[in-house]
Amino acid sequence: MPFKAKNLKGTRDYSPSEVAKRNYMKNTIRHCFELFGFQPIETPSFEAIEFLEGLYGDEAETLIFKILNSGEKVKKANVEAFQKGDIPSFISSISDKALRYDLTVPLSRYVAQHQNEINFPFKRYQIQTVWRADRPQYGRLQEFVQCDADIIGRKSVLNEIDMLLLMDLIFDKLKLKNLTIKINHRQILEAFISAIGASNQFNPIVIELDKLEKIGLDKVISLLRDLGLNDTQLHDIKQFIAHPDGLENFAKQSTDAFQAYEELQSIKSQFEDLSSNDLNIKIEPTLVRGLNYYTGMILEVVSHENPSIGSLAAGGRYDNLTAKFGLQNVSGMGISLGFERIQILLEKQKEFPENIFNKIKVMFLNFGTPYINKAVGLTYELRLKGIKVEVYPNHVKLSKQLTYANSIGVENVVFHGPDEEKNRIFLVKDMISGKQKSMGYNELLDYFISIQ
């Protein structure tokens, strides 16, 4: 019995027209990255589990796709741990590799490994697939593309401003409208959580706060209560969330928090002065970004009209992420664009160019041997000139060949059968206007070169 053809959960196929749209997006984003001086790298689709663990946070690490060992390594499975119910130890014994969860940690491994071959500050971009064993949702599959740009090895507020301007340019080139950049600073969050007497639970608390927009305040408060926070602490958190306009007064109570607040104000002001587009920016004290490795400014880009899509881009400052790989005191600033979510918004706002599909310029109709031989020779010459050409592979009814040409959007078809051979001509039909014209061999070449 044949298998039912279907995608695995959390994955999808892309048709030729969709791939054309995605290529348009990638080319636009890549062009903007390179205008800002970023250079491309690529890293493997999987890394050693030990490289990925301990950097994202406990909850995020449950979403890492682990790869089962094979061959002789399977014999090392810790069956005793499994029998005792020690699942983490059992999993560690049968898997030492995992699909990459993001592009930032592999970048840190790359920088540490190749530190003597690269120049600092190191500006790299990466457009590759990542995997997360998360519940598939609107705008997020288990396999998806991220587009990252990072500056490693130079700690400067100019990097933050540069990244904001880079996103500004990308969204302008893609013609996306009504977007807002939300920014915050981890030092402000640390100061607040310390002020309520819960600094020893910083990471668990911010992981729950990061869920605010997804599940609402009441559920977040319930989860924080489960962490052991008392009524006074929960009240303070509610007030902090409900009155973001009081951020400046709170920040003044802590030297580190006030310095971070002034940094955010400076970044916001400079971005507004330099930006030439309508990308709004605001300081959002409840913005968290739940990954453990962030240490400074954090950011997120959202759509006013379609907030359910989720963040279109996110990122922030991370200090010393390379320390896990033995390279100390190297700071980084990076952004990551949510490729699939941007695609959804482009579809909704109808901003994909009309001529995006990779159409065939010319198709030679097949009149059988020997007529097709001349067509094949011409096809090769035209392709050398950069013209997209196809030859219909079989000698079948012309109506069938023309139907096929229409179905794939061929712009011109060329007739060369007995009558054309006798008169030493080619007959070209414009499939859009329906007009036809006759021409010789050299004239045919010149014609298609002139209209490409």
Side-chain angles (χ1 to χ4, degrees):
M1 183 177 177
F3 288 106
K4 180 181 179 181
K6 62 178 181 179
N7 291 96
L8 288 173
K9 177 183 177 182
T11 67
R12 61 157 297 184
D13 300 316
Y14 296 96
S15 67
S17 61
E18 289 173 315
V19 170
K21 292 176 180 178
R22 290 166 71 83
N23 284 341
Y24 159 76
M25 290 170 57
K26 288 178 183 177
N27 290 337
T28 302
I29 293 168
R30 184 180 293 112
H31 175 67
C32 293
F33 283 163
E34 292 180 355
L35 284 177
F36 274 69
F38 292 89
Q39 299 294 321
I41 69 166
E42 292 186 357
T43 58
S45 58
F46 55 89
E47 299 275 354
I49 286 179
E50 61 185 349
F51 290 172
L52 304 180
E53 291 178 334
L55 295 173
Y56 299 113
D58 293 342
E59 188 165 321
E61 286 176 13
T62 65
L63 306 181
I64 294 174
F65 269 109
K66 296 177 174 64
I67 301 172
L68 186 67
N69 289 338
S70 59
E72 290 296 313
K73 287 186 176 181
V74 177
K75 296 178 180 179
K76 297 179 181 179
N78 190 342
V79 179
E80 183 179 349
F82 177 77
Q83 291 171 338
K84 290 180 178 179
D86 183 0
I87 302 304
S89 295
F90 173 68
I91 291 174
S92 296
S93 72
I94 62 172
S95 176
D96 55 16
K97 303 183 289 292
L99 295 174
R100 58 178 173 239
Y101 177 89
D102 71 353
L103 299 175
T104 307
V105 172
L107 167 65
S108 297
R109 190 266 306 153
Y110 176 93
V111 169
Q113 183 176 340
H114 299 279
Q115 58 186 283
N116 295 323
E117 305 161 27
I118 59 180
N119 297 311
F120 293 99
F122 180 51
K123 300 179 71 173
R124 86 82 171 85
Y125 76 83
Q126 221 170 326
I127 301 176
Q128 287 190 277
T129 305
V130 298
W131 294 265
R132 295 183 187 176
D134 204 353
R135 180 178 60 84
Q137 55 187 286
Y138 185 52
R140 170 64 61 80
L141 299 171
Q142 292 185 339
E143 177 185 69
F144 55 98
V145 171
Q146 283 189 335
C147 307
D148 282 23
D150 290 75
I151 305 173
I152 304 289
R154 183 185 69 180
K155 191 170 184 177
S156 167
V157 173
L158 292 177
N159 292 345
E160 275 79 339
I161 296 166
D162 231 21
M163 288 299 191
L164 295 177
L165 292 171
L166 171 58
M167 291 192 301
D168 191 39
L169 178 64
I170 290 170
F171 291 126
D172 179 59
K173 293 293 185 183
L174 292 173
K175 297 183 171 60
L176 288 174
K177 309 176 190 70
N178 299 319
L179 306 181
T180 293
I181 304 176
K182 297 189 290 186
I183 60 174
N184 197 10
H185 204 291
R186 293 284 278 209
Q187 286 183 3
I188 294 175
L189 291 167
E190 287 173 4
F192 170 71
I193 292 173
S194 175
I196 65 171
S199 56
N200 62 327
Q201 289 183 285
F202 177 79
N203 286 330
I205 290 172
V206 296
I207 286 172
E208 303 307 345
L209 288 176
D210 197 33
K211 302 172 184 175
L212 187 62
E213 288 191 359
K214 294 179 182 177
I215 64 176
L217 178 59
D218 290 343
K219 289 184 178 178
V220 167
I221 293 298
S222 177
L223 291 169
L224 292 173
R225 181 174 280 110
D226 291 342
L227 289 176
L229 271 64
N230 60 43
D231 289 342
T232 301
Q233 291 170 321
L234 295 174
H235 172 76
D236 290 343
I237 289 173
K238 286 181 182 178
Q239 290 296 108
F240 187 72
I241 292 171
H243 302 287
D245 52 331
L247 179 62
E248 182 177 4
N249 290 331
F250 163 75
K252 287 179 179 178
Q253 301 172 27
S254 162
T255 302
D256 289 342
F258 191 64
Q259 183 179 349
Y261 177 76
E262 288 190 316
E263 181 180 300
L264 289 182
Q265 289 286 12
S266 174
I267 291 168
K268 178 177 181 292
S269 176
Q270 290 187 63
F271 173 76
E272 288 173 334
D273 289 343
L274 294 168
S275 171
S276 58
N277 305 312
D278 65 349
L279 190 58
N280 300 310
I281 183 169
K282 70 173 184 175
I283 297 173
E284 178 60 72
T286 58
L287 177 65
V288 174
R289 301 308 305 164
L291 297 179
N292 281 359
Y293 54 65
Y294 289 127
T295 57
M297 189 194 87
I298 49 178
L299 65 92
E300 186 174 80
V301 180
V302 294
S303 166
H304 300 314
E305 298 172 349
N306 298 276
S308 61
I309 292 177
S311 61
L312 303 171
R317 163 72 57 187
Y318 47 90
D319 295 324
N320 218 23
L321 186 58
T322 57
K324 183 180 179 75
F325 307 104
L327 182 59
Q328 301 291 333
N329 303 317
V330 177
S331 182
M333 172 66 201
I335 59 169
S336 180
L337 305 177
F339 193 77
E340 278 73 17
R341 292 177 177 180
I342 293 173
Q343 183 179 0
I344 290 172
L345 192 57
L346 282 168
E347 295 277 11
K348 283 183 171 292
Q349 295 187 356
K350 297 180 170 53
E351 290 296 349
F352 278 112
E354 291 183 4
N355 61 347
I356 201 169
F357 188 65
N358 188 23
K359 291 184 178 180
I360 303 298
K361 196 75 175 179
V362 188
M363 190 180 88
F364 285 87
L365 301 176
N366 193 326
F367 286 82
T369 308
Y371 313 106
I372 199 64
N373 293 335
K374 186 171 286 187
V376 170
L378 269 169
T379 297
Y380 184 66
E381 290 191 53
L382 288 169
R383 285 171 177 160
L384 288 177
K385 299 293 184 181
I387 299 169
K388 301 178 182 69
V389 189
E390 186 169 332
V391 179
Y392 196 85
N394 307 110
H395 180 204
V396 296
K397 290 182 179 179
L398 285 182
S399 59
K400 185 173 182 178
Q401 297 186 50
L402 291 169
T403 298
Y404 171 76
N406 272 320
S407 70
I408 64 170
V410 171
E411 296 181 6
N412 301 273
V413 294
V414 178
F415 296 76
H416 185 71
D419 292 341
E420 289 77 21
E421 176 72 14
K422 180 179 178 181
N423 294 308
R424 298 183 179 181
I425 61 166
F426 293 88
L427 181 64
V428 178
K429 179 179 180 180
D430 185 317
M431 296 294 283
I432 299 172
S433 68
K435 294 180 179 179
Q436 299 182 165
K437 61 176 66 177
S438 300
M439 55 190 75
Y441 185 101
N442 291 328
E443 189 181 358
L444 182 78
L445 288 173
D446 292 341
Y447 173 71
F448 284 124
I449 291 169
S450 69
I451 65 170
Q452 69 171 320

